[in-house]
Amino acid sequence: MRVGVLTGGGDCPGLNAVIRAVVRKGIEVHGWDFVGFRNGWNGPLTGDSRPLGLNDVEDILTRGGTILRSSRTNPYKVDGGVDKIKQVLADQGVDALIAIGGEDTLGVAKRLTDDGVGVVGVPKTIDNDLGATDYTFGFDTAVSIATEAIDRLHTTAESHHRALVVEVMGRHAGWIALHSGLAGGASVILVPEKHFNVDQVVSWVERRFEKEFAPIIVVAEGALPEGGEEKLLTGEKDAFGHVRLGGIGTWLADEIAHRTGKESRAVVLGHVQRGGTPTAYDRVLATRFGLNAVDAVADGDFGVMVALKGTDIVRVKLSEATAELKTVPVERYQEAEVFFG
């Protein structure tokens, strides 16, 4: 058997760990051949591929990013895209695909399965917003990076007695903001799941200043003030219809400064959250996902995604994996004295 592997969407710590696990088990246990398609779905669209052997994955466990590179290509936005993929797979003798990605990548995997291509999905997103799995790899690393940044910002905020607004990733789900804000001792956490009242945020900030503490506000990029609109870096949309968000942190910092008369600064963590060495947790989870994806291919169980349920790795239908996003249940955390706008 010859198996293709690709990574789609945003890069994420742990992608290489999945590739390593897939290739090692596939070769050493099953004797399969592997081909890596470059740049997400653009690889099988254009035939851009490379062989994957044991030597190619020997030292990639700890590396961030993906040796296969990535893109936000949507073959269903390309004329004849599905037929092109089928032809490339036939020409290269590929019997099955393992697609590693988030909502958009797995959405394409689901549609390709419906169109007769054998695909197994592996869930990847730092946002942790796929509803069919308890956790996605990359999330733990992103939270760790954001938490360390917040820890460092506490000291400089206190030194200058200023408010600092930390903008983290999270388009529609505020898991990174929630976990890093809790772990970093933020004064306020703002998530996309609940629109925030600016007056209330300012009140909490002033309360911290009155106690001689420097407030830290953690805000997800997709968070919205009541009656407000998303802050966009650009109005352009990618192949999946997403616009680039960003700027809510700067906007909120300016509002706080204007209303309190106190110095307020914004720190946008951006792609720092995606890069670098994956945590031990993400390496282990990614490896387990990769090993179980190989099992699904061996069983001919296509149209599924491997998922974490409790401590077990299970298989769920790709249709279930992409049915809805997993969002923060804000009401569950109100009782824990967490300040949500």
Side-chain angles (χ1 to χ4, degrees):
M1 177 177 281
R2 196 164 200 233
V3 179
V5 184
L6 64 85
T7 55
D11 67 303
C12 176
L15 285 167
N16 286 323
V18 179
I19 296 169
R20 173 179 175 270
V22 165
V23 172
R24 289 190 63 178
K25 183 169 186 177
I27 291 176
E28 295 178 345
V29 175
H30 299 286
W32 296 342
D33 292 325
F34 283 90
V35 56
F37 287 104
R38 294 187 177 94
N39 301 313
W41 290 113
N42 189 63
L45 262 177
T46 63
D48 186 5
S49 64
R50 55 168 288 185
L52 285 176
L54 294 177
N55 289 339
D56 298 304
V57 301
E58 176 63 29
D59 60 351
I60 66 172
L61 175 64
T62 62
R63 288 171 57 182
T66 164
I67 62 170
L68 296 178
R69 301 186 182 179
S70 191
S71 75
R72 297 189 184 277
T73 303
N74 184 352
Y76 285 91
K77 294 289 186 178
V78 178
D79 288 340
V82 176
D83 290 335
K84 291 178 181 179
I85 287 179
K86 289 182 176 180
Q87 188 61 55
V88 166
L89 296 182
D91 291 345
Q92 299 198 17
V94 174
D95 304 296
L97 276 176
I98 294 177
I100 312 165
E103 173 194 10
D104 295 325
T105 301
L106 297 178
V108 171
K110 191 268 180 189
R111 294 182 67 179
L112 283 175
T113 298
D114 293 342
D115 288 328
V117 179
V119 187
V120 170
V122 176
K124 169 252 24 163
T125 168
I126 66 170
D127 292 333
N128 197 42
D129 59 0
L130 286 173
T133 183
D134 289 349
Y135 283 97
T136 56
F137 69 87
F139 173 67
D140 186 71
T141 302
V143 169
S144 297
I145 292 169
T147 301
E148 181 181 357
I150 294 168
D151 290 346
R152 294 175 182 275
L153 291 170
H154 270 294
T155 58
T156 187
E158 291 166 1
S159 297
H160 295 277
H161 202 56
R162 62 168 60 126
L164 287 180
V165 180
V166 185
E167 181 181 315
V168 299
M169 286 185 169
R171 175 181 295 274
H172 301 300
W175 292 107
I176 296 177
L178 173 65
H179 282 247
S180 64
L182 282 172
S187 308
V188 183
I189 301 170
L190 304 175
V191 295
E193 289 81 353
K194 182 178 181 181
H195 294 185
F196 62 89
N197 182 287
V198 179
D199 291 334
Q200 179 65 75
V201 173
V202 170
S203 174
W204 285 327
V205 167
E206 289 178 327
R207 188 186 310 172
R208 292 290 291 175
F209 277 129
E210 290 170 0
K211 295 180 179 180
E212 295 296 317
F213 293 115
I216 299 286
I217 301 93
V218 177
V219 56
E221 63 185 349
L224 289 172
E226 293 176 352
E229 298 180 348
E230 289 179 322
K231 302 301 177 183
L232 308 181
L233 287 178
T234 173
E236 296 180 0
K237 295 183 179 180
D238 64 19
F240 293 94
H242 302 310
V243 292
R244 289 180 61 194
L245 299 182
I248 186 65
T250 299
W251 178 86
L252 183 57
D254 290 343
E255 285 291 312
I256 291 172
H258 174 71
R259 298 187 187 208
T260 65
K262 298 285 189 179
E263 188 176 5
S264 180
R265 301 285 180 85
V267 178
V268 181
L269 296 186
H271 286 79
V272 170
Q273 297 158 90
R274 290 191 179 280
T277 302
T279 60
Y281 180 87
D282 278 340
R283 296 181 206 181
V284 172
L285 181 58
T287 298
R288 295 181 69 197
F289 278 158
L291 297 176
N292 281 271
V294 169
D295 291 341
V297 173
D299 293 341
D301 192 7
F302 300 118
V304 301
M305 180 191 82
V306 292
L308 179 68
K309 295 291 187 180
T311 58
D312 298 326
I313 305 296
V314 300
R315 301 174 194 171
V316 298
K317 293 294 184 182
L318 281 170
S319 56
E320 177 186 347
T322 58
E324 62 180 359
L325 292 179
K326 178 177 62 183
T327 55
V328 173
V330 176
E331 64 283 350
R332 182 184 303 171
Y333 293 91
Q334 296 284 26
E335 300 174 359
E337 298 182 355
V338 177
F339 292 136
F340 285 101

